[in-house]
Amino acid sequence: MDRNDDIRPEDETVKEVPDGENDTTASAGGKNGEETIKSPEDIIEEFKAKTVQFEDRYLRLAAEFDNYKKRTNRQFEEILKNSNENIIVNILEVIDNFERALTAGKESTDFKSLLTGTELIYQNLFNILKKEGLEPLESVGRVFDPSMHEAIMQMESDEYPDGIVIQEMVRGYRLNGKVIRYSKVIVSKGKPQGDS
């Protein structure tokens, strides 16, 4: 009995690999199921061909992406050019009304009707801007807030405590939640020092 027989299971058989055949050098693909061995030169040529394919695909994708960027930039520029068109068309009606009011003001001395007409034009313009998301900032009687207000001076006040806005010199506005113009305000610094 051989020494290796007691190590090997009884039903296991050992297959011998013929000389010259090795799993690492053989590859499938020969005729009739036979295995063919690729030479290093064939493998290099195959990888060169694949590299050329990948490079070509990369260049095409890069060109497509570049065209996409250019097209998107053109579309964005077009949107910017035309983005104000709707609001301008609405404001043209206000300009027409102002022209009528100016003509009427030259031909009439009825200042009350001129004032009423001007108020209507103002309200019309404000409503157009309000639809676009414009809203005035409330200031007077509120705590001074540097994110909305710009203090142009401080004054003593019997009516308002220190740090409260007592007068609005220029109204501020918010557009779609963002402050686009700060309110220019006068802020109270409290009661005059002689008062108790």
Side-chain angles (χ1 to χ4, degrees):
M1 186 163 152
D2 196 329
R3 285 179 74 192
N4 292 334
D5 288 342
D6 54 348
I7 296 172
R8 215 178 282 130
E10 293 177 13
D11 59 340
E12 187 179 322
T13 58
V14 177
K15 294 180 184 175
E16 290 186 19
V17 178
D19 289 340
E21 289 189 19
N22 189 328
D23 289 344
T24 58
T25 58
S27 63
K31 292 181 183 176
N32 301 327
E34 295 175 7
E35 295 180 349
T36 58
I37 300 172
K38 291 185 181 176
S39 69
E41 291 80 13
D42 291 341
I43 294 171
I44 289 170
E45 286 303 317
E46 191 177 301
F47 277 110
K48 280 184 180 177
K50 284 184 181 179
T51 303
V52 168
Q53 284 178 350
F54 288 135
E55 193 174 283
D56 182 54
R57 188 182 298 171
Y58 166 76
L59 290 173
R60 285 175 193 243
L61 286 172
E64 285 177 20
F65 183 67
D66 193 44
N67 289 337
Y68 167 77
K69 282 195 325 189
K70 287 176 184 173
R71 187 171 57 250
T72 305
N73 285 340
R74 279 195 305 270
Q75 289 171 345
F76 184 68
E77 286 170 9
E78 197 65 31
I79 288 168
L80 281 179
K81 274 190 212 173
N82 298 323
S83 63
N84 296 328
E85 185 176 332
N86 289 338
I87 190 169
I88 288 172
V89 166
N90 290 328
I91 290 175
L92 288 176
E93 185 181 331
V94 175
I95 290 173
D96 293 341
N97 289 334
F98 266 122
E99 288 174 351
R100 288 186 199 103
L102 291 170
T103 302
K106 290 175 186 174
E107 297 172 358
S108 172
T109 55
D110 186 1
F111 293 108
K112 187 174 181 183
S113 61
L114 183 62
L115 176 63
T116 304
T118 306
E119 286 173 345
L120 288 172
I121 294 169
Y122 166 80
Q123 195 58 50
N124 186 12
L125 176 61
F126 189 78
N127 287 338
I128 290 169
L129 296 174
K130 191 175 179 182
K131 283 180 188 173
E132 296 297 320
L134 186 75
E135 57 181 317
L137 297 176
E138 299 296 328
S139 298
V140 176
R142 299 193 178 232
V143 175
F144 174 77
D145 182 352
S147 69
M148 293 191 299
H149 306 130
E150 180 184 333
I152 55 174
M153 66 183 292
Q154 276 192 301
M155 285 178 61
E156 295 174 338
S157 170
D158 291 328
E159 188 179 352
Y160 294 102
D162 185 31
I164 302 296
V165 174
I166 59 175
Q167 191 175 350
E168 183 178 65
M169 304 304 288
V170 177
R171 179 168 282 187
Y173 289 93
R174 186 184 287 128
L175 181 64
N176 296 318
K178 177 187 174 192
V179 175
I180 59 170
R181 186 171 84 178
Y182 295 95
S183 300
K184 294 185 191 237
V185 296
I186 297 173
V187 183
S188 169
K189 58 180 177 179
K191 292 186 177 186
Q193 289 183 351
D195 293 358
S196 53

